[in-house]
Amino acid sequence: MKVISADHAVAHGARLARVEVVPAFPITPQTLIVELIAEFINDGELDADFLPVESEHSAMSAAIGACAGGARAFTATSSQGLALMHEMLYAAPQNRLPVVMVNVNRSLGAASGIWVEYNDSMPERESGWLQVYIEDNQEALDMVIQAYRVAEDREVMLPMMVCLDGFVLSHTVERVDFPDQHLVDSFLPKFKPLYLLDPDEPVTMNPITPPEYAMEMRFQLHRAVDGSKEVIEKVDREYGALTGRTYGGLVDTYQMEDAEIALITLGTVTSTARVVVDHLRSEGKKVGLIKLRFMRPFPSDELESIAENLKALGVFDRSVSFNGFGPVFTETRNALYHLGTPLTNHIAGLGGRDVTFKEVREMFTVIEEHAKGHRVKECHWHGLRGDS
């Protein structure tokens, strides 16, 4: 066990996963990840090729090429770097290449900022990458290892994006337990590509696709993303049996057994919300917490099962869709539409602003009023100066 940041936990996760090719371009707040991986390679602790490329577009291009050539590929980025990768992001899923990338969430675009917001990764949820959001540093290490196991499963063969909160996790130290290398090796065998790009046996990959085939390709990708749900749950259970640590698969819950109202969170706000739930429970209120881990695949059926008896449900968002709501709320409302559960959206923490106990408490107050049948706004901005 060591006391390390989430960035360094990710680097150790990549080392334990025995990644073979690491194309990288520095960007705050992810740079600590690739710096430590470079040290591992230099010190002989990791047998891998480190490619210092000229941009994030090149980093993703190289990762895709390496994976197509049969190597376990890893890279990391953030914010504008992820945006610069956008074109190449779409090549990995359709070619069924299980690249794993860590995105350290940071606000995107003007006004520039280096602090956490999910407006960099949320738009990329439509690219065909699986997306998981992390709560703490231990989960960061464990999910890098689990990500390869899920992504490389023959029933999945899709890239995975592991998202973690910039600075809240990336530069904050916590105790992290390292699984033994032999245990990781037994859990995560060497990567065997579905199709290999071999110079000795030339083939064409990703040719132009006419209308006669394009729809079927999209449908197969849709089916693969949805089909990854069972693999994610299975891998989480198997990892738990080996290490004693499970994360709930697609969704984790807290105090939901008899809950009448609940809040959906993702990322580090979940830890604050858990404390608020305990406080409200001490006051006799039947409240619960739903930790949404995966945005892709989106756990619609799982949320429906959890929320079917709730009197009201709130949804936290750390980004905005500019359709009046946040993306997590929009997806949740779509998933639970036929249940008729009263829903409210709670936007907070944009641009790295702290989401405090008081603000999460305010979210529950709105949800409670909604459950009583009182009229409330559908979307609330918390911690906002001026009219919310």
Side-chain angles (χ1 to χ4, degrees):
M1 180 178 291
K2 289 187 176 181
V3 178
I4 56 175
S5 69
D7 273 5
H8 281 183
V10 165
H12 281 283
R15 174 182 59 79
L16 290 163
R18 297 189 187 277
V19 299
E20 296 169 297
V21 177
V22 184
F25 189 82
I27 182 170
T28 302
Q30 80 77 14
T31 307
L32 297 176
I33 297 173
V34 294
E35 284 180 342
L36 186 56
I37 290 176
E39 289 183 23
F40 289 152
I41 296 171
N42 181 67
D43 296 343
E45 297 180 56
L46 176 64
D47 182 14
D49 291 321
F50 188 88
L51 309 179
V53 294
E54 72 275 22
S55 74
E56 287 87 351
H57 188 282
S58 298
M60 182 48 59
S61 300
I64 288 169
C67 192
R72 181 169 285 160
F74 173 87
T75 190
T77 192
S78 180
S79 183
Q80 266 85 353
L82 182 62
L84 188 53
M85 288 179 176
H86 177 75
E87 178 187 11
M88 297 312 299
L89 286 181
Y90 284 75
Q94 289 288 10
N95 283 293
R96 311 301 293 269
L97 298 173
V99 177
V100 170
M101 173 172 63
V102 169
N103 180 65
V104 183
N105 285 108
R106 163 188 150 179
S107 61
L108 174 64
S112 295
I114 58 172
W115 297 276
V116 60
E117 189 173 334
Y118 298 157
N119 68 338
D120 57 350
S121 58
M122 282 292 170
E124 306 298 356
R125 72 189 188 280
E126 308 300 11
S127 63
W129 284 62
L130 308 182
Q131 255 192 18
V132 60
Y133 287 79
I134 299 304
E135 181 182 352
D136 57 37
N137 296 2
Q138 182 69 64
E139 190 177 3
L141 182 147
D142 290 336
M143 274 315 298
V144 171
I145 298 168
Q146 284 198 37
Y148 281 108
R149 176 69 186 279
V150 172
E152 295 173 3
D153 189 289
R154 288 304 177 101
E155 299 297 318
V156 181
M157 295 302 287
L158 289 172
M160 184 181 288
M161 189 182 302
V162 180
C163 301
L164 60 91
D165 291 10
F167 289 101
V168 181
L169 292 181
S170 65
H171 288 63
T172 302
V173 297
E174 294 178 329
R175 290 185 300 177
V176 175
D177 181 61
F178 292 12
D180 291 337
Q181 184 66 66
H182 76 274
L183 185 148
V184 176
D185 290 343
S186 68
F187 175 78
L188 182 65
K190 187 174 176 58
F191 171 47
K192 294 181 179 178
L194 195 58
Y195 306 105
L196 182 64
L197 191 60
D198 184 351
D200 295 329
E201 298 182 20
V203 296
T204 299
M205 297 179 71
N206 198 25
I208 186 169
T209 305
E212 289 81 359
Y213 299 101
M215 265 191 77
E216 285 71 20
M217 284 186 63
R218 294 287 186 272
F219 181 74
Q220 288 172 359
L221 179 57
H222 156 73
R223 193 165 55 185
V225 172
D226 198 53
S228 69
K229 291 180 179 179
E230 290 186 12
V231 177
I232 290 167
E233 301 281 0
K234 180 188 71 173
V235 167
D236 185 61
R237 288 193 299 271
E238 291 183 8
Y239 194 80
L242 288 173
T243 66
R245 292 188 295 274
T246 60
Y247 295 97
L250 296 160
V251 180
D252 197 13
T253 59
Y254 184 67
Q255 300 276 27
M256 285 298 296
E257 290 77 13
D258 62 345
E260 295 179 348
I261 65 172
L263 177 67
I264 292 178
T265 59
L266 69 171
T268 55
V269 167
T270 304
S271 300
T272 306
R274 209 174 272 121
V275 176
V276 175
V277 166
D278 287 343
H279 176 78
L280 293 174
R281 283 273 173 178
S282 71
E283 295 177 354
K285 299 180 185 296
K286 293 184 177 181
V287 303
L289 179 65
I290 302 169
K291 174 184 172 183
L292 179 67
R293 300 188 67 236
F294 279 80
M295 278 299 288
R296 287 291 181 273
F298 193 78
S300 301
D301 294 340
E302 291 76 10
L303 287 179
E304 181 181 335
S305 176
I306 294 168
E308 61 181 349
N309 295 319
L310 292 175
K311 294 180 178 178
L313 174 64
V315 182
F316 164 75
D317 262 296
R318 204 160 201 159
S319 55
V320 185
S321 286
F322 302 111
N323 62 352
F325 305 98
V328 182
F329 177 81
T330 302
E331 303 241 5
T332 302
R333 184 165 62 176
N334 181 53
L336 304 184
Y337 177 75
H338 61 284
L339 281 185
T341 306
L343 298 176
T344 47
N345 192 194
H346 302 273
I347 295 173
L350 303 187
R353 187 167 296 184
D354 288 341
V355 182
T356 65
F357 178 98
K358 175 175 175 290
E359 286 157 3
V360 178
R361 179 70 178 82
E362 289 172 356
M363 296 176 195
F364 274 105
T365 298
V366 173
I367 302 165
E368 190 175 19
E369 290 299 305
H370 208 191
K372 292 176 180 175
H374 297 165
R375 187 171 183 177
V376 299
K377 291 190 301 184
E378 276 191 294
C379 183
H380 297 255
W381 288 56
H382 297 268
L384 181 71
R385 290 191 296 276
D387 183 19
S388 61

